[in-house]
């Protein structure tokens, strides 16, 4: 990613450049939009959103590109464009995660037996910066074919022990996925939490600072928001990234049930069109049980990964009757000629925050 100054404006338009009507294409130069997580060599001239007109092709400038950070991290209040999914967002706060990347495992590392019962690379985690962000609600309808409108889910601590909280429009974004920009708009992101969490302060850079509400919410719900481990592996040019999150524990029929959410991103690093057809999961619980799950697609979808739309992201949930366990498996993809191939899902652990005593709470202002 080149280090470029904030000299250009940022722009967008709908229904052009060979994308289906209603999808977003960002930038005056289109090849990088919705593609890999790399900034263009020559950034587009402007970022704008279309007015609500039938033709949907009228540009309105909304910001100015800034130089992507090669070192350090982005601060709370940084506006950005997601380089893969194309939505506008704003950084709430950063997380330091451990990235276990099997694509860059040391060649001298010995094989070891993992819980899956087959040889697997021993991978050491490297520190990597991710961000908790708000997604602009105006962009959610236009990314629906490439990503769920991400939501943070956790079990709430209320009288109704079955309560499940979901906060839509929250995502976790890797440092390299962020294309930063600035705006003079005092409310540049449309999200119900924007003005509750952030306020405009023209003396600051970036000019959006955290309210006490955001700090209190982050501190109180830290165990259920925290991103700690990220797992990544590539098979036949399909890269799978998995991020597990602990959601909480519930008592059911005199036993404890532990819940996790896991977010998965699929990326096609090749130009050949492929379609996800099946999933095959194996779930091991510390209680000694091993479960196998097979099914069509994921979350009721069989996404197509192409050069134009190479990535798909979704979240799902899993429960165990033990405080920890493991998951691993494969996705089966189909090529245009009808042949199939399996893509490995990197094994990842499910760990509860059993040392945390404060249960998660809902949104109360």
């Amino acid at each position: 990613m080149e280090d470029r100054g904030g000299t250009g404006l940022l722009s967008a338009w709908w229904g052009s450049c060979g994308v289906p009507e209603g999808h977003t294409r960002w930038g005056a130069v289109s090849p990088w939009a919705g593609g890999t997580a790399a900034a263009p060599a020559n950034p587009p001239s402007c970022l704008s959103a279309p007015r609500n007109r039938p033709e949907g092709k009228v540009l309105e400038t909304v910001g100015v590109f800034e130089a992507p950070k090669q070192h350090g991290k982005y601060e709370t209040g940084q506006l950005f464009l997601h380089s893969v999914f194309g939505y506008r967002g704003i950084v709430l706060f950063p997380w330091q995660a451990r990235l276990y990347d099997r694509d860059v495992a040391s060649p001298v590392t010995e094989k070891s037996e993992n819980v899956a019962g087959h040889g697997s690379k021993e991978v050491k985690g490297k520190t990597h910066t991710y961000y908790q962000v708000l997604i602009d609600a105006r962009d959610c309808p236009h990314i629906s074919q490439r990503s769920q409108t991400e939501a943070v889910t956790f079990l709430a601590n209320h009288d109704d022990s079955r309560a499940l909280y979901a906060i839509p429009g929250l995502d976790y974004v890797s440092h390299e996925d962020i294309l930063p920009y600035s705006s003079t708009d005092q409310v540049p992101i449309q999200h119900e939490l924007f003005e509750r969490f952030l306020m405009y302060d023209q003396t600051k850079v970036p000019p959006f600072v955290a309210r006490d509400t955001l700090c209190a919410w982050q501190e109180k719900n830290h165990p259920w928001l925290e991103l700690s481990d990220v797992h990544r592996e590539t098979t036949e040019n399909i890269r799978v990234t998995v991020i597990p999150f602990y959601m909480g524990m519930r008592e059911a029929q005199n036993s404890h049930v532990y819940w996790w959410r896991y977010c998965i991103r699929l990326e096609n690093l090749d130009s050949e069109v492929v379609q996800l057809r099946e999933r095959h999961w194996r779930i091991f619980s510390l209680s000694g049980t091993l479960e196998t799950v097979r099914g069509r697609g994921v979350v009721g979808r069989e996404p197509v990964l192409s050069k134009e739309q190479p990535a798909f992201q979704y979240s799902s949930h899993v429960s165990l009757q033990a405080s920890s366990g493991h998951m691993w498996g494969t996705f089966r993809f189909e090529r245009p000629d009808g042949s199939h191939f399996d893509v490995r899902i990197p094994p990842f652990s499910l760990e509860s925050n059993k040392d945390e005593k404060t249960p998660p709470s809902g949104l109360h202002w």
Side-chain angles (χ1 to χ4, degrees):
M1 192 178 290
E2 292 192 11
D3 189 24
R4 304 186 65 89
T7 58
L9 302 176
L10 196 58
S11 63
W13 63 92
W14 318 119
S16 59
C17 302
V19 241
E21 191 70 28
H23 286 252
T24 312
R25 269 296 192 183
W26 294 100
V29 185
S30 65
W32 64 278
T36 58
N42 297 299
S45 58
C46 61
L47 164 60
S48 64
R51 296 173 185 160
N52 294 323
R53 290 189 168 188
E55 63 271 22
K57 295 180 182 178
V58 178
L59 295 178
E60 291 180 327
T61 301
V62 298
V64 178
F65 266 126
E66 296 178 345
K69 286 182 180 289
Q70 303 301 309
H71 306 286
K73 63 180 183 293
Y74 296 104
E75 301 298 330
T76 296
Q78 175 65 60
L79 294 166
F80 71 93
L81 181 72
H82 195 296
S83 67
V84 174
F85 297 114
Y87 64 72
R88 288 163 288 179
I90 192 166
V91 171
L92 294 181
F93 39 80
W95 294 111
Q96 290 300 308
R98 293 185 299 272
L99 174 61
Y100 297 91
D101 193 342
R102 282 166 172 76
D103 299 336
V104 295
S106 171
V108 298
T109 303
E110 293 183 359
K111 296 278 187 176
S112 65
E113 288 293 318
N114 65 9
V115 70
H118 55 74
S120 179
K121 292 177 181 176
E122 187 84 36
V123 181
K124 291 185 177 181
K126 291 188 176 181
T127 301
H128 195 73
T129 303
Y130 278 74
Y131 301 92
Q132 180 95 62
V133 307
L134 289 182
I135 302 173
D136 194 310
R138 293 167 294 186
D139 296 336
C140 289
H142 307 289
I143 62 173
S144 61
Q145 295 302 311
R146 290 182 281 170
S147 174
Q148 290 177 323
T149 301
E150 282 300 310
V152 166
T153 53
F154 54 82
L155 298 169
N157 179 35
H158 293 293
D159 293 337
D160 181 1
S161 63
R162 295 170 296 177
L164 172 68
Y165 265 85
I167 309 170
L170 285 173
D171 200 1
Y172 292 84
V173 179
S174 176
H175 183 85
E176 63 268 20
D177 287 344
I178 285 183
L179 297 176
Y181 72 92
S182 60
S183 172
T184 57
D185 188 346
Q186 295 189 20
V187 188
I189 300 296
Q190 289 189 11
H191 189 289
E192 62 178 345
L193 297 179
F194 178 83
E195 292 186 90
R196 291 179 175 178
F197 282 172
L198 299 159
M199 60 183 175
Y200 183 77
D201 184 345
Q202 63 181 358
T203 67
K204 303 292 186 180
V205 179
F208 306 99
V209 296
R211 293 182 184 271
D212 292 342
T213 316
L214 174 60
C215 300
W217 181 74
Q218 194 268 358
E219 181 179 356
K220 194 168 189 177
N221 295 294
H222 181 281
W224 289 267
L225 295 173
E226 182 178 10
L227 177 155
S228 58
D229 293 342
V230 179
H231 304 265
R232 190 160 68 194
E233 185 170 3
T234 302
T235 308
E236 296 199 37
N237 289 314
I238 304 297
R239 183 163 62 195
V240 180
T241 303
V242 184
I243 309 176
F245 298 90
Y246 179 57
M247 290 173 54
M249 180 270 293
R250 279 288 169 262
E251 293 186 11
Q253 299 177 344
N254 297 321
S255 65
H256 291 169
V257 179
Y258 298 82
W259 284 86
W260 288 264
R261 176 173 72 97
Y262 54 93
C263 179
I264 291 186
R265 185 156 104 180
L266 305 166
E267 293 177 85
N268 185 357
L269 307 180
D270 200 0
S271 58
E272 183 180 49
V273 177
V274 296
Q275 184 169 13
L276 191 156
R277 291 301 192 185
E278 299 176 11
R279 68 187 185 278
H280 178 200
W281 282 105
R282 303 193 78 185
I283 307 165
F284 174 78
S285 170
L286 191 62
S287 63
T289 62
L290 179 62
E291 183 180 2
T292 298
V293 178
R294 290 183 181 270
R296 295 287 295 182
V298 290
V299 293
R301 311 251 302 260
E302 295 181 25
V304 174
L305 304 183
S306 64
K307 188 175 182 180
E308 292 73 29
Q309 295 189 10
F312 180 79
Q313 181 170 294
Y314 75 96
S315 291
S316 192
H317 301 87
V318 64
S319 64
L320 300 178
Q321 291 186 321
S323 60
S324 63
H326 286 81
M327 289 180 66
W328 67 96
T330 56
F331 291 122
R332 175 154 293 186
F333 280 83
E334 183 178 356
R335 299 186 180 94
D337 64 5
S339 63
H340 295 84
F341 63 99
D342 289 336
V343 171
R344 290 184 298 276
I345 304 170
F348 57 96
S349 61
L350 302 171
E351 299 292 342
S352 65
N353 298 353
K354 51 183 176 293
D355 293 332
E356 300 289 345
K357 297 180 180 179
T358 306
S361 64
L363 291 174
H364 296 286
W365 312 104

